[in-house]
Amino acid sequence: MYCTEADLRGMIKSDVLGLLISGAETGTPEENQAKIGEIILQAIEDAGAEIDGYLAKLYTVPLVRVPQVIVKYAKDIAAYNLITRIGVGKDDDREQNYYKRYQAALRFLELVAKGTVGLGLNPPTAQAAGGFRMDGPRRVFTRKNLKGM
Protein backbone atom coordinates (compact mmCIF):
# COMPACT_ATOMS: atom_id res chain seq x y z
CA MET A 1 0.00 0.00 0.00
CA TYR A 2 1.28 3.40 -0.94
CA CYS A 3 -0.68 5.44 1.61
CA THR A 4 -2.39 4.84 4.94
CA GLU A 5 -5.86 5.00 6.37
CA ALA A 6 -4.78 7.97 8.47
CA ASP A 7 -3.69 9.79 5.30
CA LEU A 8 -7.19 9.48 3.84
CA ARG A 9 -8.98 10.28 7.05
CA GLY A 10 -6.96 13.50 7.10
CA MET A 11 -7.96 14.38 3.53
CA ILE A 12 -11.70 13.76 3.73
CA LYS A 13 -14.08 15.33 6.23
CA SER A 14 -15.59 12.98 8.79
CA ASP A 15 -19.16 13.80 7.73
CA VAL A 16 -18.31 12.72 4.18
CA LEU A 17 -16.69 9.53 5.48
CA GLY A 18 -19.89 8.87 7.43
CA LEU A 19 -21.77 8.76 4.14
CA LEU A 20 -19.76 5.64 3.22
CA ILE A 21 -21.90 3.56 5.57
CA SER A 22 -25.08 5.60 5.37
CA GLY A 23 -27.97 3.27 6.16
CA ALA A 24 -25.67 0.49 7.41
CA GLU A 25 -24.75 1.97 10.78
CA THR A 26 -24.48 -0.60 13.54
CA GLY A 27 -25.17 1.73 16.41
CA THR A 28 -21.85 2.04 18.21
CA PRO A 29 -19.38 4.65 16.98
CA GLU A 30 -16.50 2.18 17.23
CA GLU A 31 -18.21 -0.36 14.97
CA ASN A 32 -19.13 2.35 12.49
CA GLN A 33 -15.54 3.60 12.40
CA ALA A 34 -14.33 0.03 11.86
CA LYS A 35 -16.68 -0.33 8.87
CA ILE A 36 -15.45 2.96 7.46
CA GLY A 37 -11.86 1.78 8.01
CA GLU A 38 -12.51 -1.37 5.97
CA ILE A 39 -13.91 0.68 3.10
CA ILE A 40 -10.95 3.06 3.24
CA LEU A 41 -8.47 0.17 3.17
CA GLN A 42 -10.22 -1.28 0.13
CA ALA A 43 -9.97 2.08 -1.66
CA ILE A 44 -6.25 2.22 -0.79
CA GLU A 45 -5.68 -1.30 -2.13
CA ASP A 46 -7.54 -0.42 -5.33
CA ALA A 47 -5.43 2.71 -5.76
CA GLY A 48 -2.25 0.68 -5.23
CA ALA A 49 -3.33 -1.84 -7.85
CA GLU A 50 -4.07 0.95 -10.30
CA ILE A 51 -0.67 2.53 -9.68
CA ASP A 52 1.11 -0.82 -9.99
CA GLY A 53 -0.58 -1.34 -13.34
CA TYR A 54 1.20 1.71 -14.71
CA LEU A 55 4.52 1.21 -12.92
CA ALA A 56 4.90 -2.47 -13.79
CA LYS A 57 5.99 -1.47 -17.27
CA LEU A 58 9.28 -0.10 -15.94
CA TYR A 59 9.62 -1.05 -12.29
CA THR A 60 9.28 -4.08 -10.07
CA VAL A 61 6.04 -3.65 -8.16
CA PRO A 62 5.06 -3.17 -5.45
CA LEU A 63 7.76 -0.58 -4.92
CA VAL A 64 10.04 -1.26 -1.97
CA ARG A 65 11.15 2.36 -1.64
CA VAL A 66 8.14 4.54 -2.36
CA PRO A 67 8.81 8.05 -3.68
CA GLN A 68 6.75 10.79 -2.06
CA VAL A 69 5.08 11.62 -5.37
CA ILE A 70 3.60 8.10 -5.49
CA VAL A 71 2.29 8.52 -1.94
CA LYS A 72 0.63 11.79 -2.97
CA TYR A 73 -1.00 10.30 -6.03
CA ALA A 74 -2.05 7.17 -4.12
CA LYS A 75 -3.92 9.39 -1.68
CA ASP A 76 -5.56 11.29 -4.53
CA ILE A 77 -6.67 8.11 -6.31
CA ALA A 78 -7.93 6.47 -3.12
CA ALA A 79 -9.84 9.64 -2.14
CA TYR A 80 -11.46 9.73 -5.56
CA ASN A 81 -12.41 6.06 -5.18
CA LEU A 82 -14.13 6.87 -1.88
CA ILE A 83 -15.92 9.96 -3.17
CA THR A 84 -17.27 8.16 -6.23
CA ARG A 85 -18.43 5.30 -4.00
CA ILE A 86 -20.67 7.75 -2.18
CA GLY A 87 -22.16 8.78 -5.48
CA VAL A 88 -20.66 12.23 -5.74
CA GLY A 89 -19.67 12.80 -9.33
CA LYS A 90 -17.30 15.04 -11.18
CA ASP A 91 -20.12 17.51 -11.89
CA ASP A 92 -20.51 18.47 -8.24
CA ASP A 93 -18.55 21.72 -7.72
CA ARG A 94 -17.58 20.89 -4.15
CA GLU A 95 -16.10 17.56 -5.13
CA GLN A 96 -14.64 18.53 -8.51
CA ASN A 97 -11.28 18.94 -6.80
CA TYR A 98 -11.10 15.17 -6.18
CA TYR A 99 -11.78 14.47 -9.85
CA LYS A 100 -9.11 16.93 -11.02
CA ARG A 101 -6.55 15.43 -8.67
CA TYR A 102 -7.44 11.93 -9.89
CA GLN A 103 -6.99 13.01 -13.51
CA ALA A 104 -3.61 14.60 -12.68
CA ALA A 105 -2.51 11.36 -11.02
CA LEU A 106 -3.45 9.35 -14.11
CA ARG A 107 -1.59 11.75 -16.41
CA PHE A 108 1.52 11.48 -14.24
CA LEU A 109 1.34 7.68 -14.17
CA GLU A 110 0.92 7.56 -17.95
CA LEU A 111 4.08 9.66 -18.32
CA VAL A 112 5.94 7.32 -15.98
CA ALA A 113 4.75 4.29 -17.95
CA LYS A 114 5.96 5.89 -21.19
CA GLY A 115 9.34 6.61 -19.60
CA THR A 116 8.96 10.37 -20.03
CA VAL A 117 9.03 10.93 -16.27
CA GLY A 118 11.18 8.90 -13.89
CA LEU A 119 10.70 8.14 -10.23
CA GLY A 120 14.36 8.37 -9.30
CA LEU A 121 14.46 4.66 -8.60
CA ASN A 122 17.34 2.72 -10.09
CA PRO A 123 17.52 0.42 -11.84
CA PRO A 124 14.26 -0.38 -13.59
CA THR A 125 13.52 -4.06 -13.92
CA ALA A 126 15.98 -5.83 -16.19
CA GLN A 127 13.16 -7.13 -18.35
CA ALA A 128 11.68 -3.70 -18.88
CA ALA A 129 15.04 -1.99 -19.38
CA GLY A 130 16.29 -4.43 -21.98
CA GLY A 131 13.10 -5.29 -23.80
CA PHE A 132 13.07 -8.86 -25.06
CA ARG A 133 15.68 -10.95 -26.83
CA MET A 134 15.48 -14.05 -28.96
CA ASP A 135 18.33 -16.42 -29.65
CA GLY A 136 18.50 -19.09 -32.29
CA PRO A 137 20.95 -21.09 -34.37
CA ARG A 138 23.44 -19.37 -36.67
CA ARG A 139 22.16 -18.42 -40.08
CA VAL A 140 22.94 -20.93 -42.78
CA PHE A 141 22.28 -18.65 -45.71
CA THR A 142 23.59 -15.08 -45.66
CA ARG A 143 24.10 -12.45 -48.33
CA LYS A 144 27.80 -13.10 -48.21
CA ASN A 145 27.72 -16.88 -48.83
CA LEU A 146 24.96 -16.60 -51.44
CA LYS A 147 26.72 -13.87 -53.39
CA GLY A 148 27.13 -14.80 -57.03
CA MET A 149 24.60 -17.61 -57.09
Side-chain angles (χ1 to χ4, degrees):
M1 291 191 290
Y2 297 125
C3 64
T4 65
E5 180 181 345
D7 290 335
L8 282 184
R9 285 185 183 268
M11 286 180 69
I12 302 174
K13 295 179 181 178
S14 59
D15 61 330
V16 175
L17 289 175
L19 294 174
L20 291 170
I21 59 167
S22 181
E25 296 91 350
T26 58
T28 67
E30 294 81 18
E31 291 173 340
N32 290 337
Q33 289 303 314
K35 278 187 175 183
I36 291 170
E38 291 173 13
I39 295 169
I40 290 173
L41 289 177
Q42 184 61 51
I44 290 171
E45 288 177 14
D46 292 346
E50 191 169 349
I51 290 170
D52 286 347
Y54 285 97
L55 299 183
K57 236 179 152 176
L58 295 176
Y59 299 96
T60 302
V61 292
L63 299 175
V64 176
R65 189 174 63 93
V66 182
Q68 188 60 36
V69 69
I70 295 297
V71 174
K72 178 209 178 303
Y73 286 130
K75 292 188 295 188
D76 291 344
I77 293 170
Y80 179 75
N81 289 345
L82 289 174
I83 295 300
T84 56
R85 178 185 173 100
I86 296 169
V88 177
K90 63 181 180 180
D91 298 328
D92 185 349
D93 285 342
R94 191 181 96 175
E95 309 304 335
Q96 180 122 10
N97 186 38
Y98 291 107
Y99 178 71
K100 288 180 181 177
R101 292 172 75 162
Y102 174 72
Q103 290 298 318
L106 292 185
R107 281 191 301 275
F108 175 81
L109 292 170
E110 287 170 356
L111 291 174
V112 171
K114 289 179 185 175
T116 306
V117 175
L119 296 178
L121 302 174
N122 290 323
T125 61
Q127 180 183 9
F132 75 93
R133 178 184 166 136
M134 291 181 56
D135 290 321
R138 287 186 63 124
R139 291 179 63 182
V140 177
F141 301 104
T142 64
R143 288 181 189 221
K144 191 174 184 179
N145 68 12
L146 291 175
K147 193 170 188 175
M149 292 189 130

